[in-house]
Amino acid sequence: MPQYWRGKDYGYEENSLGGARLLVLGEAHHHKQTEIGTEVPGLTEEVVRRHVNGALGSHSRLFSMVERLVTRQLGQSLDRIGRESFWNSVVFANYIPVIAARKPKQRPPSHVWDGAAPQLYRELVKRVEAEIVLVCGRQLWRKKPHDIAIKGAYKVGERPFEAHVINWSDSYGAVATHILHPSGSFGWSYEENLPPIDYLFRVIDERRAVHGTAPVRDFRG
């Protein structure tokens, strides 16, 4: 079973994302005292809880920037209540299911990208019935599996980017886009990373309309 954080309000219409089922996909955990390749049960849930509680310090960068991007609260960080509401509304997982580095910004070795990771990702998307997936990082975007590529789905400036679909049933799948990794990309900006998120939330309502289900309630600032 893949390790992941599932917020208690995930999928509920009244959650802080207007009922959208969003999976946030990170790359991997690092741990200076644990050997690379080691599985640490419960670590993902512990890290998210520590971020919500304000105890993650400088390691909160990815979580803070993702929550601000998705909610469009770009001018200031979310407070404790805002952080809790956001992470209670999403699923978060790291694609690589084992410790992949000993320190921040150390790249995972090639062998940890393989093995169980692709299948665990597919199982997770199906288990949580994700509608949209936000992938954090360009290398992760290239490594993860998908079933369909949507060419020219959105643009950043004048440059077109594709979205991916990963199916979790015969008739439905999650749509994924990616942002640059907030912790490892030089010149990272909110403006450059908003288009893929705006695209995901447009797609939700388009697909819900086809299936005759209620649109996502407006929540973005």
Side-chain angles (χ1 to χ4, degrees):
M1 178 181 294
Q3 292 192 55
Y4 61 99
W5 161 276
R6 178 172 180 151
K8 65 181 182 63
D9 299 323
Y10 175 76
Y12 288 105
E13 184 178 349
E14 298 304 315
N15 71 20
S16 70
L17 301 188
R21 299 196 302 274
L22 168 64
L23 165 61
V24 179
L25 189 69
E27 187 175 274
H29 289 298
H30 65 268
H31 198 288
K32 63 182 179 181
Q33 297 172 328
T34 304
E35 290 296 324
I36 291 174
T38 303
E39 182 178 352
V40 182
L43 181 58
T44 299
E45 291 178 295
E46 177 189 346
V47 167
V48 177
R49 287 195 187 97
R50 291 185 65 199
H51 167 68
V52 170
N53 293 334
L56 209 54
S58 61
H59 300 306
S60 276
R61 180 176 173 86
L62 182 146
F63 297 102
S64 296
M65 289 187 166
V66 165
E67 67 199 22
R68 292 170 69 179
L69 270 173
V70 173
T71 61
R72 276 188 168 267
Q73 302 297 315
L74 307 182
Q76 60 183 3
S77 298
L78 275 63
D79 60 15
R80 164 62 189 270
I81 294 174
R83 292 196 304 270
E84 188 170 25
S85 295
F86 178 85
W87 293 101
N88 275 335
S89 301
V90 305
V91 168
F92 174 80
N94 276 322
Y95 180 79
I96 297 173
V98 295
I99 298 299
R102 302 297 293 273
K103 59 184 179 180
K105 298 185 180 181
Q106 180 182 0
R107 301 306 302 141
S110 58
H111 71 273
V112 300
W113 289 100
D114 304 318
Q119 184 59 34
L120 289 176
Y121 170 59
R122 288 186 175 277
E123 290 175 6
L124 177 59
V125 172
K126 181 176 182 178
R127 179 174 290 114
V128 302
E129 297 185 349
E131 292 178 286
I132 52 176
V133 181
L134 179 60
V135 179
C136 300
R138 186 168 288 165
Q139 185 178 16
L140 172 57
W141 176 252
R142 293 167 178 160
K143 292 281 191 180
K144 63 152 192 57
H146 64 276
D147 298 308
I148 301 169
I150 305 172
K151 302 292 185 181
Y154 62 94
K155 288 184 177 181
V156 177
E158 295 301 315
R159 183 181 177 186
F161 285 84
E162 66 181 33
H164 291 164
V165 177
I166 181 164
N167 294 324
W168 48 260
S169 78
D170 292 338
S171 60
Y172 209 82
V175 178
T177 60
H178 78 287
I179 60 172
L180 299 176
H181 198 289
S183 298
S185 300
F186 179 76
W188 195 98
S189 70
Y190 288 111
E191 291 73 18
E192 185 178 4
N193 290 283
L194 276 173
I197 295 173
D198 291 341
Y199 172 79
L200 289 179
F201 283 94
R202 289 198 304 271
V203 163
I204 281 185
D205 282 346
E206 291 171 1
R207 301 178 96 210
R208 286 189 175 197
V210 169
H211 289 267
T213 53
V216 171
R217 178 173 45 81
D218 184 25
F219 71 93
R220 303 187 75 196

